[in-house]
């Protein structure tokens, strides 16, 4: 029987130090079946500490702001190991969020990541019960689903900052195939 530790998604972020103001320019998000590298878009900071208590070791926000107070934030994750198909993951996510978010605008944008993986973006407008404006970029990877969420406190910030998500996907997202562990357990 596999331990819960092995079954759970493991996220580690290895970042190259930037200037003190920038925290980190880029980082790698790891899961048990896949990993990917992203970098902060121009004018943004990648931070591997501020979201850690929320289970988010890779968060991004505009320079001069903070994770807690930013008008717009992003975070990057790999879906649960039970999901290897992006469409199945998105269907589950929409079903789970429908009561809070209503029906999303599906596939408002699509394209290829920097290394050629297909992605698409869904939009989750604010509702009476949820004030955040969000869009999520979904990437189908071999044996895994990666996703990056952009969330804004208001519509004006959303309109101003929403292009940062596609910038990360198109210009910095690179799949990294996990290395096999040679140790026998």
């Amino acid at each position: 029987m596999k331990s819960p530790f092995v079954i759970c998604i493991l996220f580690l972020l290895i970042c190259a130090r930037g200037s003190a103001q920038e925290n980190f320019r880029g980082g790698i998000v790891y899961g048990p079946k896949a990993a990917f590298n992203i970098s902060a878009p121009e004018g943004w900071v990648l931070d591997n500490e501020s979201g850690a208590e929320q289970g988010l070791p890779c968060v991004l926000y505009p320079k001069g702001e903070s994770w807690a107070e930013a008008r717009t934030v992003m975070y990057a994750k790999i879906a649960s190991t039970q999901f290897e198909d992006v469409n199945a993951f998105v269907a589950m996510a929409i079903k789970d969020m429908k009561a809070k978010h209503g029906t999303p605008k599906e596939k408002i944008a699509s394209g290829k990541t920097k290394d050629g993986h297909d992605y698409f973006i869904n939009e989750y407008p604010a509702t009476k019960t949820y004030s955040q404006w969000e869009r999520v970029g979904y990437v189908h990877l071999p044996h895994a689903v990666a996703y990056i969420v952009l969330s804004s406190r208001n519509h004006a910030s959303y309109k101003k900052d929403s292009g940062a998500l596609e910038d990360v996907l198109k210009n910095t997202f690179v799949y990294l195939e996990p290395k096999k562990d040679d140790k026998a357990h």
Side-chain angles (χ1 to χ4, degrees):
M1 183 171 161
K2 292 185 178 183
S3 72
F5 180 76
V6 174
I7 294 171
C8 291
I9 294 178
L10 302 175
F11 295 104
L12 300 173
L13 189 61
I14 299 173
C15 298
R17 275 263 179 218
S19 71
Q21 183 183 5
E22 285 189 358
N23 290 2
F24 305 100
R25 180 72 181 143
I28 299 173
V29 177
Y30 285 97
K33 294 183 175 184
F36 63 92
N37 182 34
I38 61 170
S39 297
E42 189 65 37
W44 285 68
V45 173
L46 188 145
D47 181 340
N48 73 335
E49 296 172 356
S50 297
E53 286 185 16
Q54 297 168 290
L56 303 171
C58 183
V59 300
L60 301 95
Y61 46 86
K63 284 182 185 176
E65 299 187 35
S66 70
W67 170 245
E69 301 297 325
R71 67 184 182 268
T72 301
V73 297
M74 287 191 277
Y75 61 89
K77 294 187 82 167
I78 295 177
S80 164
T81 56
Q82 76 187 57
F83 293 101
E84 292 189 5
D85 177 72
V86 70
N87 293 317
F89 176 71
V90 171
M92 181 278 309
I94 289 172
K95 182 181 174 188
D96 287 352
M97 294 187 297
K98 208 166 198 170
K100 187 188 289 188
H101 286 283
T103 303
K105 294 179 183 175
E106 294 188 53
K107 298 185 180 178
I108 62 166
S110 62
K112 300 261 186 206
T113 62
K114 183 176 180 178
D115 64 341
H117 286 84
D118 291 326
Y119 74 82
F120 64 89
I121 297 173
N122 284 356
E123 180 178 71
Y124 300 88
T127 64
K128 291 179 184 178
T129 59
Y130 191 73
S131 63
Q132 299 290 105
W133 284 81
E134 296 182 339
R135 59 176 48 189
V136 181
Y138 300 97
V139 183
H140 186 113
L141 301 174
H143 309 293
V145 177
Y147 63 102
I148 302 172
V149 177
L150 178 135
S151 183
S152 297
R153 295 179 186 268
N154 57 57
H155 191 250
S157 296
Y158 176 77
K159 287 181 75 170
K160 179 182 182 296
D161 297 328
S162 62
L165 174 61
E166 202 157 1
D167 186 12
V168 169
L169 290 164
K170 278 184 179 178
N171 300 316
T172 76
F173 187 105
V174 176
Y175 167 70
L176 302 170
E177 189 168 344
K179 303 265 189 264
K180 298 286 185 202
D181 187 5
D182 293 335
K183 296 177 185 177
H185 293 283

